[in-house]
Amino acid sequence: MSVLAVERKTAILDQLQASGKVNASELARQLDVSMETIRRDLDVLEKEGLLKRVHGGAVKINFQLGEPPFYQRKQVNLEEKRKVAFRAAQLVKDGDTIAMSGGTTILAMAQEIRGVSKVTVITNSVPTAKALMDSLNQGLFHGKVILLGGELNAEQYSANGTVCEKMMELFCVNKAFISPGGISLSGITEYAMEDSGISGKMLLAAKEKNNSSGSFQDRGRGSMQSHIVETNRRRRLRPVCAAVVEALSGKHRLALAGRRRIRTLTK
C-alpha cells in the first residue's frame, strides 16, 4: 500500500472500531476518493482478516470466543496506542529492571524506549523482544533483554504457562508494564487464564505496577500504582486509549491528556 492507502486503512479501521460498521459511499466522501478505491481497500482489509465485507460497506468481526489475534489487533487504534506507549516509555529510567507483558500496546511502548542506560527488560512477548533488540542494535537505549520461555501462543506471539511463570519468579523488577484485556473497579481482567498467570507473576515481582490498557480477574485492589489509558471526548473511558491514574498518599489523581491541555482531577 502507498502512504495514502495506509492512512485510509487506518481511518477505516478506526471508524469500524468506533461504530462496528462502515458505509462505502460515506467513506469515499470523507476520504475524498472514488468508490472503486474504497472497495479495493475494503477487499484488502477483508483478506487480512480485519473486517467482513457486506453489501454497501463492511462490518466489524466479532471475537466472542476469545481475544483477536495479535496481528489483527496490531492494526487498530494506532494513534491511541502511540500516545499510551509514549507516556509509558517515559516511566522507564536509567538502571531500571522492568517486566513487560505481551500485547500490541506493550509492543508500541517497546518501540518508544529511548535514551536510557543500564536497563534490563524481561518479557514473554516475541515481537516485543525483537523490537527491543532492534533498538539496542541501533543504540537507541543501552541494556539487555531477557525473553521468558514456556509454551508459545501461536496467535498472540507470546509465551505463557507454568515454565514461563516459574522463570518470572526468579526475578525482582522495579516496574511492571502489563496490557490486560480489561479494567473495572473490581480489578483487571484477561481473556485467558494463562495470560492472567504471567501478568500476575510480573505484578508480584514489581515494586511499581503500570497498566497500559477478558475473563480472569486480579482482585488485588490497590496493587496497581498507575494506569495508562486513552480518553475520548465522547466517552468517559475507552479500553485502549492519554491518562494516568496514580495513587498518591491515599488520593487518586487523574491526569487527562487532551489535544490542547492537560487537566488534573483529585478526589
Side-chain angles (χ1 to χ4, degrees), residues 160-230:
N160 52 39
T162 302
V163 173
C164 188
E165 293 174 23
K166 290 293 184 182
M167 288 187 67
M168 190 62 229
E169 290 175 358
L170 298 174
F171 301 98
C172 291
V173 300
N174 301 104
K175 300 163 187 171
F177 296 86
I178 67 170
S179 182
I183 310 170
S184 70
L185 293 177
S186 60
I188 60 176
T189 61
E190 287 286 9
Y191 282 92
M193 183 167 59
E194 294 80 6
D195 294 329
S196 177
I198 187 59
S199 294
K201 293 296 183 182
M202 288 181 174
L203 293 177
L204 288 174
K207 296 177 183 178
E208 298 180 26
K209 288 83 170 171
N210 303 285
N211 168 32
S212 61
S213 44
S215 59
F216 290 90
Q217 286 196 357
D218 171 6
R219 293 187 176 273
R221 296 185 183 181
S223 62
M224 300 299 297
Q225 291 182 344
S226 64
H227 304 258
I228 305 174
V229 296
E230 167 70 8

Side-chain angles (χ1 to χ4, degrees), residues 3 10 16 29 40 45 60 84 112-113 116 118 128-129 156 172 178 188 213 222 224 232 240 247:
V3 174
T10 300
L16 193 66
R29 178 179 56 79
R40 286 198 300 268
L45 291 170
K60 183 178 178 180
V84 171
E112 291 288 341
I113 295 177
V116 289
K118 298 181 179 179
T128 295
Q156 304 304 334
C172 291
I178 67 170
I188 60 176
S213 44
M224 300 299 297
N232 186 296
V240 177

Side-chain angles (χ1 to χ4, degrees), residues 52-65:
K52 178 178 175 60
R53 291 281 274 118
V54 296
H55 180 71
V59 296
K60 183 178 178 180
I61 298 177
N62 291 319
F63 291 91
Q64 298 179 349
L65 300 179

Side-chain angles (χ1 to χ4, degrees), residues 28-210:
R29 178 179 56 79
Q30 293 169 5
L31 300 176
D32 193 24
V33 294
S34 67
M35 281 289 291
E36 185 59 31
T37 297
I38 290 297
R39 291 192 187 101
R40 286 198 300 268
D41 288 343
L42 294 177
D43 288 341
V44 170
L45 291 170
E46 184 177 44
K47 290 178 181 178
E48 294 178 356
L50 298 173
L51 52 76
K52 178 178 175 60
R53 291 281 274 118
V54 296
H55 180 71
V59 296
K60 183 178 178 180
I61 298 177
N62 291 319
F63 291 91
Q64 298 179 349
L65 300 179
E67 188 174 19
F70 182 91
Y71 77 92
Q72 293 184 7
R73 291 185 289 114
K74 186 180 177 181
Q75 305 298 323
V76 299
N77 294 321
L78 297 180
E79 181 60 21
E80 289 88 347
K81 289 176 182 177
R82 187 197 64 79
K83 292 178 181 178
V84 171
F86 178 77
R87 192 66 175 268
Q90 291 180 315
L91 299 176
V92 181
K93 306 300 181 182
D94 289 347
D96 273 350
T97 297
I98 66 173
M100 299 176 69
S101 70
T104 57
T105 306
I106 296 295
L107 171 60
M109 175 194 166
Q111 296 166 338
E112 291 288 341
I113 295 177
R114 301 283 189 274
V116 289
S117 299
K118 298 181 179 179
V119 172
T120 298
V121 184
I122 303 165
T123 183
N124 64 318
S125 168
V126 175
T128 295
K130 181 182 183 303
L132 290 166
M133 291 304 300
D134 289 343
S135 293
L136 281 174
N137 290 331
Q138 296 171 38
L140 298 179
F141 79 96
H142 299 282
K144 58 184 176 182
V145 178
I146 299 173
L147 178 61
L148 299 175
E151 182 180 354
L152 285 174
N153 184 316
E155 288 193 344
Q156 304 304 334
Y157 295 90
S158 60
N160 52 39
T162 302
V163 173
C164 188
E165 293 174 23
K166 290 293 184 182
M167 288 187 67
M168 190 62 229
E169 290 175 358
L170 298 174
F171 301 98
C172 291
V173 300
N174 301 104
K175 300 163 187 171
F177 296 86
I178 67 170
S179 182
I183 310 170
S184 70
L185 293 177
S186 60
I188 60 176
T189 61
E190 287 286 9
Y191 282 92
M193 183 167 59
E194 294 80 6
D195 294 329
S196 177
I198 187 59
S199 294
K201 293 296 183 182
M202 288 181 174
L203 293 177
L204 288 174
K207 296 177 183 178
E208 298 180 26
K209 288 83 170 171
N210 303 285

